[in-house]
Amino acid sequence: MMPSRMMRYIFGPIFFSSWALHGMQVQAQSAPPIILPATVTEVFTKAGVPLDSVGIIVKEVGANEPLLALNSDKAMNPASVMKLFTTYAGLELLGPAYTWRTDVYAAGEIRGNTLNGDLALKGSGDPKLTVERFWLLLKQLRERGLKNISGDLILDKTFFDAMTFDPAKFDGEPLKAYNVGPDALMLNFKTVRFNFAPSFDAKSVSITPDVRPVQMDIVSRVRLVDAPCGDWREHILLDVQTITPIQLKVSFTGNYPRSCGEKAWSISLLDHARFVGGVFASLWKDVGGSWQGAVKIQPIPSGAKLLTSTESPALSEVIRDINKFSNNVMARQLFLTLSAEKMLPPANAARSATIIKEWLNKKGIAAPELVLENGSGLSRLERTSAATLSAMLDAAFKSSVMPEFISSMPLLGVDGTLRNRMRSGGGSGNGRSDPVAGQAHIKGGTLNDARAMAGYVLDANNHRWIVVMIVNHPNALMTQAAQDALLSWVYARN
């Protein structure tokens, strides 16, 4: 059913004296009053969030009308819940078995163990080209006999449009892993994962990167201390200095609590080209190769010979990382891949947004309010409504890719970004859990002024419900308890 045909429930008189016992009365046009749970309204009241800043839909899967709706057609920022559009569209338009390839070419003649020419890498937007896979790719080249590369390293990024990306634009944090921009040849999420741990002699702190680009030096002045772990990063100062145009010094200073055990900090330090070049130089040397050339960004030269390739995991696996762990970088890669595959490369965001809107329209979901900037939800511009999300979730449940789609979402209280929600014992598995824990696949989203959730709840009577809540307000971060209360209410109601 198109969202525009959904019945709209209008909030009428509010009986404040009845909140504690009976909830808020919701008047429906031509329908009996519906009760919004008191546990939900109380959270909004305490947080100072007016109800016109909230969009809600509760609807049984396949039902013609919602059980509960509030501001359901209002355009709102859904934060990371926007990833549901990108991943569902990816499953249907590309197929759950879709994979990305990264190809290696020789632009020159190989004589003996030497390439007299350039080595070229051609990317297709692989969201999960990890350092481990890249190392295996280079090791395969070495085992087939290549050792010396006399020319340069060519990076072919023509699968995506050339774009200018400012990693500081969103929140002024250019080193944060979530602010990495898309790239047709993205390696290891363009981040270095620094692993912190007490040394084996328990006298100092070991800081080891998962990959070390050749141009990066690491300096550690971190002391091991006896203290509660808490927010351990707050006690460590990160300093990044550009020593020369190609040399980088990364310094860590501060205290690391022994009680933290092993922790990790992923940091984006170099642009895509310098990162790939630096990692290539480091790993090629590790596998016994030799290369002293430069890095060039250009298309694969005519006549270059394909040497080998690496293939990503299937899309059905990739979207589990995107949704369960709310990976913005991978979502952006998938979003752009849609237009590269459904139109001709190079991909761009405007074409991908058009593809998703046309795909929804063919399902009878008009979504006039839908705004897609990058498909990840890490945006001040993206908008949708509770009604459009509900209609999309209803369509997904009837789709052949339903199992892959639902299983990609966090299972409340069990895994992903919601593994600790609705559990009094946290992630340890101890303590009591709310009965809805383990019974809901929910994608959450959070920005400074937005908090949202959308997904499915299997209630105590084995009925499946679509639940959507979006809050856009300066106090939105204070409304998580309202989400939890609504999920509990949907699960337990008779």
Side-chain angles (χ1 to χ4, degrees):
M1 174 172 288
M2 294 174 60
S4 58
R5 295 181 59 194
M6 281 188 175
M7 182 178 293
R8 299 178 179 88
Y9 291 98
I10 301 176
F11 278 80
I14 299 173
F15 303 99
F16 291 91
S17 61
S18 66
W19 277 19
L21 296 178
H22 303 294
M24 179 178 290
Q25 298 293 326
V26 182
Q27 301 291 338
Q29 292 179 333
S30 304
I34 294 176
I35 296 177
L36 185 67
T39 51
V40 175
T41 59
E42 285 168 359
V43 175
F44 293 135
T45 302
K46 291 177 182 177
V49 175
L51 291 179
D52 62 6
S53 298
V54 182
I56 294 176
I57 282 227
V58 176
K59 188 181 84 71
E60 190 168 6
V61 169
N64 291 328
E65 302 294 347
L67 171 70
L68 186 65
L70 166 65
N71 301 319
S72 60
D73 292 325
K74 186 173 183 176
M76 306 183 78
N77 189 331
S80 283
V81 170
M82 187 61 79
K83 293 179 176 70
L84 294 180
F85 288 104
T86 301
T87 52
Y88 176 32
L91 284 172
E92 283 209 340
L93 296 176
L94 303 177
Y98 177 85
T99 57
W100 291 260
R101 272 183 36 160
T102 302
D103 296 327
V104 184
Y105 289 83
E109 186 178 1
I110 298 177
R111 290 186 178 179
N113 61 7
T114 298
L115 168 59
N116 295 304
D118 301 328
L119 191 75
L121 304 176
K122 182 174 177 60
S124 66
D126 189 342
K128 204 172 182 180
L129 181 57
T130 61
V131 66
E132 293 86 0
R133 282 181 53 213
F134 194 55
W135 180 86
L136 288 172
L137 181 68
L138 301 185
K139 188 171 184 292
Q140 185 179 33
L141 289 175
R142 279 289 294 118
E143 290 181 346
R144 291 174 61 180
L146 181 61
K147 180 178 181 181
N148 306 309
I149 302 169
S150 67
D152 297 323
L153 179 68
I154 293 174
L155 308 181
D156 184 332
K157 300 166 175 278
T158 55
F159 198 69
F160 289 173
D161 242 346
M163 61 191 83
T164 301
F165 183 82
D166 180 5
K169 181 180 178 181
F170 182 75
D171 58 4
E173 297 283 357
L175 303 184
K176 297 287 190 181
Y178 59 75
N179 275 326
V180 169
D183 194 85
L185 191 52
M186 184 176 65
L187 173 61
N188 210 47
F189 315 108
K190 200 180 78 70
T191 60
V192 178
R193 179 184 172 97
F194 293 92
N195 298 293
F196 290 71
S199 60
F200 289 130
D201 63 8
K203 294 181 180 179
S204 61
V205 179
S206 169
I207 302 177
T208 55
D210 64 342
V211 63
R212 188 191 292 263
V214 291
Q215 63 267 59
M216 185 182 75
D217 294 325
I218 302 174
V219 177
S220 174
R221 301 186 185 92
V222 179
R223 297 176 300 173
L224 191 64
V225 297
D226 291 315
C229 188
D231 191 356
W232 61 276
R233 290 188 196 174
E234 290 295 319
H235 304 291
I236 296 178
L237 174 66
L238 168 66
D239 182 37
V240 180
Q241 297 179 343
T242 301
I243 306 303
T244 69
I246 61 171
Q247 200 67 24
L248 204 65
K249 183 169 79 171
V250 182
S251 301
F252 297 96
T253 307
N255 298 325
Y256 184 76
R258 196 186 312 272
S259 59
C260 287
E262 297 184 15
K263 296 289 184 181
W265 187 351
S266 293
I267 305 171
S268 175
L269 296 166
L270 297 161
D271 59 69
H272 284 283
R274 287 196 298 160
F275 184 76
V276 173
V279 173
F280 173 82
S282 178
L283 296 185
W284 187 241
K285 182 179 179 180
D286 284 350
V287 297
S290 172
W291 172 67
Q292 298 294 326
V295 176
K296 297 179 179 178
I297 301 175
Q298 65 182 59
I300 296 292
S302 176
K305 177 184 177 183
L306 179 65
L307 298 180
T308 189
S309 302
T310 180
E311 195 169 13
S312 75
L315 177 60
S316 57
E317 180 179 336
V318 168
I319 67 165
R320 287 174 64 85
D321 287 342
I322 293 175
N323 284 336
K324 283 192 181 291
F325 302 102
S326 208
N327 192 302
N328 296 297
V329 180
M330 296 176 74
R332 288 179 169 185
Q333 296 286 109
L334 172 57
F335 181 69
L336 288 175
T337 299
L338 290 172
S339 57
E341 289 289 2
K342 304 311 289 185
M343 299 179 178
L344 291 175
N348 68 38
R351 293 193 199 107
S352 291
T354 297
I355 285 170
I356 290 180
K357 289 179 181 179
E358 290 177 349
W359 165 75
L360 287 172
N361 193 55
K362 289 178 181 177
K363 294 179 176 295
I365 305 172
E369 84 296 345
L370 182 63
V371 177
L372 289 152
E373 182 185 19
N374 55 48
S376 76
L378 191 70
S379 167
R380 308 293 182 195
L381 304 178
E382 293 193 323
R383 295 291 185 274
T384 188
S385 66
T388 294
L389 276 165
S390 175
M392 183 269 290
L393 290 169
D394 226 347
F397 199 82
K398 294 179 287 187
S399 170
S400 63
V401 298
M402 177 269 287
E404 289 83 1
F405 179 62
I406 293 183
S407 66
S408 76
M409 299 162 67
L411 186 57
L412 185 70
V414 175
D415 64 11
T417 56
L418 302 186
R419 64 188 177 280
N420 294 330
R421 287 278 290 274
M422 312 295 282
R423 298 178 63 137
S424 60
S428 64
N430 300 318
R432 296 180 58 189
S433 299
D434 188 285
V436 72
Q439 303 301 313
H441 283 89
I442 300 291
K443 179 74 191 79
T446 303
L447 296 173
N448 286 340
D449 55 359
R451 184 178 282 275
M453 69 169 180
Y456 306 93
V457 176
L458 183 65
D459 74 12
N461 296 312
N462 289 320
H463 295 158
R464 185 87 60 177
W465 295 85
I466 292 168
V467 180
V468 180
M469 178 188 288
I470 309 174
V471 181
N472 285 181
H473 189 271
N475 296 341
L477 294 180
M478 302 168 61
T479 62
Q480 175 179 306
Q483 293 184 357
D484 295 347
L486 185 62
L487 292 171
S488 294
W489 179 78
V490 171
Y491 173 80
R493 66 178 305 278
N494 294 319

